[in-house]
Amino acid sequence: MTAVAEKPAGGAAPAGEVPSFTVTLRIQRFNPEVDTEAHYEEYQVLAHATDRVLDALHQIKWEQDGSLSFRRSCAHGVCGSDAMRINGKNRLACKTLIKDVNPDKPITVEPIKGLPVEKDLIVDMEPFFDAYREVMPFLVTNGNEPTKERLQSQADKDRFDDTTKCILCAACTTSCPVFWTDGQYFGPAAIVNAHRFIFDSRDEAAEQRLEILNDKEGVWRCRTTFNCSEACPRGIQVTQAIQEVKRALLTRKF
Ligand code: SF4
Ligand code: F3S
Ligand code: FES
């Protein structure tokens, strides 16, 4: 379906009015109660140039088919709940403008890959969070509780600043071909969150985390494919973080 500019009779949209156009979304559907396998359904929506894919999904759910299921919460790129494959790439639906994803053709929307689909665009995130929990994503300190704030220099903070930006959306892990092959690999998101603490000068469990990632399903399975860095909606240098963890394992310097 071609995107059609909908102009009011008699010419261009009045000044200040955002032009609208019709766009087709081709959405992967799966209802475990009735379907044996997934199939695609098409929907047409009237979109504005400022609309995001999430707005189109809302329009479909609220006005055409209330059974369409997807996750979202903040709608502003903060909670990480609406990662999905949009035209074959992992993106957050709330951060993806329709006009930026070739609306002249049907826009394909599918669940992220490598995790079991529960319904439509909703996947089971538990395997993803299991790997995250395994790397101990919290500050570990020994000894007595400090009586004053644990100070840190700007240089020390800069060491892990990039990986603090993770919102656990899973876009990286579910774009990784190694993760697709068997789902046992810890995956880039877990490594990013291990990195965040391994290189934190206040933390005292770096050795433990490194040993966890020294596993056969740990950092050494990364083939430096870079899909994860490309997929990250927060712009985290994911592959670089993985390389830094590998180096720390070899040198024991962190
Ligand atoms: Fe999402 Fe980026 Fe965190 Fe991966 S590293 S879970 S893509 S925010
Ligand atoms: Fe996978 Fe990223 Fe490594 S896509 S192979 S974790 S560089
Ligand atoms: Fe929260 Fe998109 S809905 S990140």
Side-chain angles (χ1 to χ4, degrees), residues 2 12 27 44-46 48 51 54 57 75 83 94 98 110 112-113 126 160 179 189 194 202 213 218 221 226 231:
T2 303
I27 303 177
Q44 292 191 347
V45 297
L46 192 63
H48 295 95
D51 280 353
L54 182 64
L57 292 174
C94 67
I98 291 172
E110 299 160 308
I112 45 179
K113 268 173 88 172
E126 271 315 299
F160 64 97
F179 183 76
R202 300 163 300 182
L213 291 173
R221 291 215 57 192
F226 280 93

Side-chain angles (χ1 to χ4, degrees), residues 52 54 71-83 92-95 167 169 233:
R52 307 154 305 169
L54 182 64
R71 285 196 182 101
R72 66 98 177 86
S73 181
C74 71
H76 290 285
V78 179
C79 72
S81 61
D82 64 339
L92 296 179
C94 67
K95 296 277 284 179
I167 55 172
C169 67

Side-chain angles (χ1 to χ4, degrees), residues 172-179 185 187-189 191 219 221-230 238-240 242-243 246:
C172 56
T173 295
T174 59
S175 69
C176 173
V178 178
F179 183 76
Y185 171 40
I191 303 171
V219 282
R221 291 215 57 192
C222 169
R223 296 285 176 264
T224 328
T225 313
F226 280 93
N227 289 18
C228 49
S229 296
E230 280 170 30
V238 181
T239 311
Q240 183 181 318
I242 297 171
Q243 294 302 103
K246 285 180 182 172

Side-chain angles (χ1 to χ4, degrees), residues 199-214:
F199 294 97
D200 186 331
S201 59
R202 300 163 300 182
D203 184 80
E204 294 172 36
E207 287 284 359
Q208 254 175 287
R209 292 193 191 86
L210 287 173
E211 276 320 311
I212 291 165
L213 291 173
N214 207 11

Side-chain angles (χ1 to χ4, degrees), residues 22-145:
T22 302
V23 66
T24 301
L25 272 77
R26 184 173 167 268
I27 303 177
Q28 183 176 314
R29 304 293 310 266
F30 174 69
N31 178 351
E33 289 177 2
V34 293
D35 297 329
T36 50
E37 58 184 41
H39 61 281
Y40 290 85
E41 288 183 24
E42 289 197 354
Y43 304 86
Q44 292 191 347
V45 297
L46 192 63
H48 295 95
T50 50
D51 280 353
R52 307 154 305 169
V53 172
L54 182 64
D55 297 313
L57 292 174
H58 279 153
Q59 209 182 119
I60 294 166
K61 183 167 179 70
W62 293 337
E63 296 170 15
Q64 298 185 39
D65 185 346
S67 71
L68 177 64
S69 302
F70 54 91
R71 285 196 182 101
R72 66 98 177 86
S73 181
C74 71
H76 290 285
V78 179
C79 72
S81 61
D82 64 339
M84 50 189 79
R85 275 164 70 83
I86 300 171
N87 281 353
K89 285 190 173 172
N90 281 4
R91 311 170 195 249
L92 296 179
C94 67
K95 296 277 284 179
T96 305
L97 289 177
I98 291 172
K99 71 178 177 62
D100 292 342
V101 288
N102 194 10
D104 290 340
K105 292 187 176 164
I107 298 169
T108 303
V109 185
E110 299 160 308
I112 45 179
K113 268 173 88 172
L115 292 167
V117 176
E118 292 192 328
K119 187 167 189 280
D120 296 338
L121 303 173
I122 296 178
V123 297
D124 177 6
M125 294 288 282
E126 271 315 299
F128 172 82
F129 284 115
D130 284 346
Y132 168 69
R133 283 187 284 262
E134 264 194 73
V135 302
M136 304 162 56
F138 41 82
L139 195 74
V140 177
T141 59
N142 299 314
N144 296 329
E145 255 184 52

Side-chain angles (χ1 to χ4, degrees), residues 140-191:
V140 177
T141 59
N142 299 314
N144 296 329
E145 255 184 52
T147 51
K148 59 184 171 79
E149 196 181 349
R150 294 174 203 272
L151 294 178
Q152 190 167 51
S153 70
Q154 188 59 48
D156 284 345
K157 171 76 167 51
D158 291 346
R159 191 73 193 81
F160 64 97
D161 204 37
D162 195 35
T163 46
T164 63
K165 294 186 293 190
C166 178
I167 55 172
L168 294 171
C169 67
C172 56
T173 295
T174 59
S175 69
C176 173
V178 178
F179 183 76
W180 294 338
T181 55
D182 63 6
Q184 297 304 305
Y185 171 40
F186 271 81
I191 303 171

